Amino acid sequence: MLGVKFRRQHPIGPYIVDFACLECRLIIEVDGGQHQEQAEADRRRDQELSSQGFLVLRFWNGEVLRMTSDVLEKIWTAAQTRRPSPLTPLPLRGRGEFDRIKRLPTKGGR
């Protein structure tokens, strides 16, 4: 979908998050009306998850249903900025810059 893999209803510590992309350390929460009464608990939960290196994005159910494109754009942007850059593979022996450098003789003549 966005080039990243999300897990649904994924446990992280004592919490079960709605969606998690472990590669990007990104959590998506989709909240219904019950979260209006538990805003302080959600804030503490988000703080704990943030302290573990996760970014938590929260959206209301209605927001997801009515403005799906906007929600997806926010998720995609967050995923792209948090995605680790791919490692550059090491060159195979005989194909790297190091092999073009002449070795200097050492004190033992080796």
Side-chain angles (χ1 to χ4, degrees):
M1 172 179 113
L2 301 171
V4 291
K5 180 181 177 181
F6 281 88
R7 297 170 185 229
R8 189 170 149 239
Q9 296 295 300
H10 185 71
I12 298 177
Y15 307 111
I16 296 178
V17 301
D18 290 339
F19 301 95
C21 175
L22 300 180
E23 173 190 14
C24 301
R25 309 227 19 108
L26 177 62
I27 293 172
I28 309 300
E29 292 288 344
V30 181
D31 298 336
Q34 77 278 10
H35 285 270
Q36 289 177 333
E37 291 91 41
Q38 62 186 52
E40 181 58 28
D42 285 344
R43 187 190 64 73
R44 284 192 308 270
R45 181 178 191 252
D46 292 353
Q47 218 169 22
E48 173 64 27
L49 291 165
S50 293
S51 74
Q52 297 176 38
F54 288 96
L55 171 64
V56 180
L57 297 181
R58 286 189 173 273
F59 300 98
W60 293 105
N61 285 341
E63 191 177 9
V64 172
L65 294 173
R66 287 190 306 274
M67 299 182 293
T68 306
S69 295
D70 293 339
V71 169
L72 288 174
E73 179 68 28
K74 289 176 186 175
I75 294 169
W76 184 84
T77 300
Q80 294 308 307
T81 58
R82 296 184 59 83
R83 178 183 277 182
S85 58
L87 297 175
T88 304
L90 295 174
L92 298 174
R93 184 168 175 79
R95 296 187 183 179
E97 191 65 33
F98 182 76
D99 288 330
R100 290 185 221 149
I101 300 171
K102 292 187 178 189
R103 295 183 187 211
L104 298 173
T106 58
K107 284 192 175 180
R110 296 180 189 163

